[in-house]
Amino acid sequence: MISRLTYKGMKLIDPFARAITYLRVSVTDRCDFRCVYCMSENMTFLPKRELLTLEELERMCTTFVGLGVEKLRITGGEPLVRRDIMTFFQSMSRHLDSGALKELTLTTNGSQLEKYAQTLYDAGVRRVNVSLDTLDEKKFADVTRWGRLPQVLRGIDAAQAAGLRVKINAVALKGFNEDELASITSWCASRDIDLTWIEVMPMGDIGNENRIGQYWSLKDVRKAYEDHYQVTDLAERSGGPARYVRLEETGQKIGFITPLSHNFCESCNRVRLTCTGELYLCLGQEDMADLRTPLRDHPDSNAPLEDAIHRAIGLKPKGHDFDYSRQGIDGQMPRHMSHTGG
Ligand code: SAM
Ligand code: SF4
């Protein structure tokens, strides 16, 4: 094993020379919705003692920032249902002030945005991703089971009023929002909101009620756009799985996230921390490292935690192995998106 001194002050570079600068953090596995493709209706959540406390999350993220992470995306479960989560955002804002952190952002279902948008802005958040698969109230209630569309729309209003740039993430679901492609797109255009479609992934045990969670390939979504618009591919990449096109008629940039394709692995700059302190190195693989133990066992020193992070990054695989043809489409990945944070 390499000694600590070797790592001291070193930024996170994986064995394939990729700099790890982006950390996604799931701050809770709980949620106030039960989206059909994400959770079963009667989910069992983790006992509280398993979760990192807010102080532990803060220490963990601060350590990552010290090791060169420049972008933090807070997710869940629903990050805004975690009690006192604003104190976490407020405490992370000092890293924005120092310049060490370039971006603090979150992915949310929007249910609590009306309450928190201004506080988030004040903490230095400038962009927020809101998940929204339909603009039809009845369909929204069907797909989220417990969610209500007007509440989310009020949240989006509040976010924009506070000065947050909003991006909508819509999961592409065959026979569900296929017919809303044009209406969702023009609604986003009218509100100056970016839009990204996500391909549905086989995650977790979500029960057998996959009436709504039908796979709609983004290739077909793109084709559907071509029926309505002139579509131009853009070269822009974010280090992640998104690809972008421009709709010439509206000038809108539309994103497509196909997490199962292998074609973005070579530029992967990210790792994921679960709410229990496990670091997943790749969305499509089970390799992970326990960071909670070195954190909890050494309350007065971050050195063991930094070592553990470096060792984990040293195991980051070259690419993932997440393939519909071999895994089937529903419920084949043992972990839920709400655990690793999507
Ligand atoms: N609760 C927040 C939300 O819904 O935005 C954050 C967590 S959620 C797990 C993050 C993203 O994962 C959401 O955009 C959601 O639509 C997406 N997601 C959840 N399950 C998915 C699945 N099986 N396939 C593709 N995307 C999924
Ligand atoms: Fe909750 Fe987000 Fe999963 Fe929907 S996708 S159940 S809002 S964590």
Side-chain angles (χ1 to χ4, degrees):
M1 191 188 301
I2 305 172
S3 82
R4 149 110 191 113
L5 276 178
T6 318
Y7 290 137
K8 199 167 172 30
M10 269 174 63
K11 300 295 183 207
L12 300 173
I13 309 282
D14 82 359
F16 305 95
R18 296 170 297 196
I20 305 305
T21 55
Y22 180 5
L23 178 68
R24 295 170 82 102
V25 185
S26 173
V27 295
T28 177
D29 61 332
R30 287 161 201 262
C31 188
D32 52 348
F33 291 3
R34 292 289 182 278
C35 301
V36 293
Y37 45 73
C38 180
M39 295 188 184
S40 66
E41 189 148 23
N42 53 349
M43 281 287 284
T44 313
F45 293 107
L46 294 162
K48 216 172 152 208
R49 63 175 182 283
E50 296 284 320
L51 298 191
L52 299 180
T53 64
L54 287 179
E55 292 72 25
E56 287 172 335
L57 275 168
E58 204 273 315
R59 202 180 133 206
M60 190 77 91
C61 291
T62 296
T63 304
F64 272 97
V65 171
L67 296 175
V69 162
E70 296 177 343
K71 177 170 173 180
L72 272 182
R73 177 173 294 280
I74 309 307
T75 176
E78 174 46 41
L80 298 183
V81 300
R82 172 108 196 220
R83 188 189 299 246
D84 291 333
I85 193 66
M86 286 306 117
T87 60
F88 170 79
F89 280 97
Q90 285 158 341
S91 111
M92 293 317 290
S93 73
R94 71 183 191 280
H95 301 305
L96 291 168
D97 295 340
S98 77
L101 190 60
K102 306 268 186 297
E103 188 171 40
L104 175 61
T105 180
L106 74 154
T107 300
T108 172
N109 65 25
S111 69
Q112 309 302 311
L113 267 182
E114 192 177 15
K115 190 155 96 195
Y116 290 132
Q118 189 61 51
T119 316
L120 288 167
Y121 186 89
D122 293 343
V125 175
R126 291 294 175 265
R127 295 198 300 159
V128 50
N129 287 0
V130 181
S131 303
L132 179 65
D133 305 328
T134 173
L135 290 170
D136 178 290
E137 254 187 85
K138 162 84 173 60
K139 280 160 75 179
F140 187 87
D142 285 346
V143 75
T144 62
R145 293 201 190 95
W146 294 5
R148 295 297 170 261
L149 181 64
Q151 187 183 354
V152 171
L153 296 181
R154 286 199 305 276
I156 293 172
D157 285 342
Q160 292 196 295
L164 295 169
R165 176 106 198 129
V166 176
K167 186 177 83 154
I168 297 293
N169 282 339
V171 175
L173 299 166
K174 200 168 189 64
F176 179 75
N177 53 14
E178 257 179 304
D179 58 337
E180 288 189 80
L181 185 102
S183 54
I184 292 175
T185 304
S186 59
W187 181 82
C188 287
S190 70
R191 306 194 49 146
D192 192 24
I193 287 176
D194 295 325
L195 172 61
T196 289
W197 293 92
I198 307 178
E199 203 158 73
V200 74
M201 288 191 279
M203 285 283 187
D205 172 17
I206 52 173
N208 284 327
E209 35 184 314
N210 246 359
R211 281 175 305 113
I212 298 176
Q214 296 294 317
Y215 177 64
W216 182 19
S217 120
L218 293 192
K219 269 200 193 111
D220 292 341
V221 178
R222 193 189 185 288
K223 274 198 211 112
Y225 268 110
E226 287 168 355
D227 293 340
H228 297 270
Y229 306 90
Q230 194 188 328
V231 177
T232 308
D233 286 309
L234 299 176
E236 181 181 330
R237 300 306 300 268
S238 58
R243 289 193 177 279
Y244 299 94
V245 300
R246 189 174 53 240
L247 307 181
E248 295 303 340
E249 288 79 356
T250 62
Q252 263 168 297
K253 193 176 81 173
I254 307 287
F256 297 102
I257 298 186
T258 317
L260 305 188
S261 70
H262 291 244
N263 54 20
F264 62 92
C265 298
E266 68 281 358
S267 60
C268 184
N269 59 356
R270 61 197 58 195
V271 288
R272 294 175 161 76
L273 184 72
T274 69
C275 53
T276 56
E278 290 167 347
L279 188 71
Y280 279 89
L281 303 160
C282 171
L283 186 60
Q285 294 199 352
E286 289 299 291
D287 307 75
M288 62 89 168
D290 164 35
L291 298 183
R292 189 179 62 190
T293 304
L295 181 91
R296 282 198 179 159
D297 285 357
H298 302 275
D300 300 320
S301 164
N302 277 344
L305 175 62
E306 288 186 17
D307 277 0
I309 294 172
H310 270 291
R311 280 199 301 274
I313 298 296
L315 299 174
K316 187 167 163 64
K318 186 167 185 201
H320 67 61
D321 185 24
F322 198 9
D323 183 351
Y324 275 104
S325 58
R326 287 196 288 129
Q327 303 214 24
I329 166 105
D330 53 347
Q332 297 305 303
M333 274 296 281
R335 63 189 207 261
H336 285 256
M337 289 284 269
S338 52
H339 187 57
T340 31

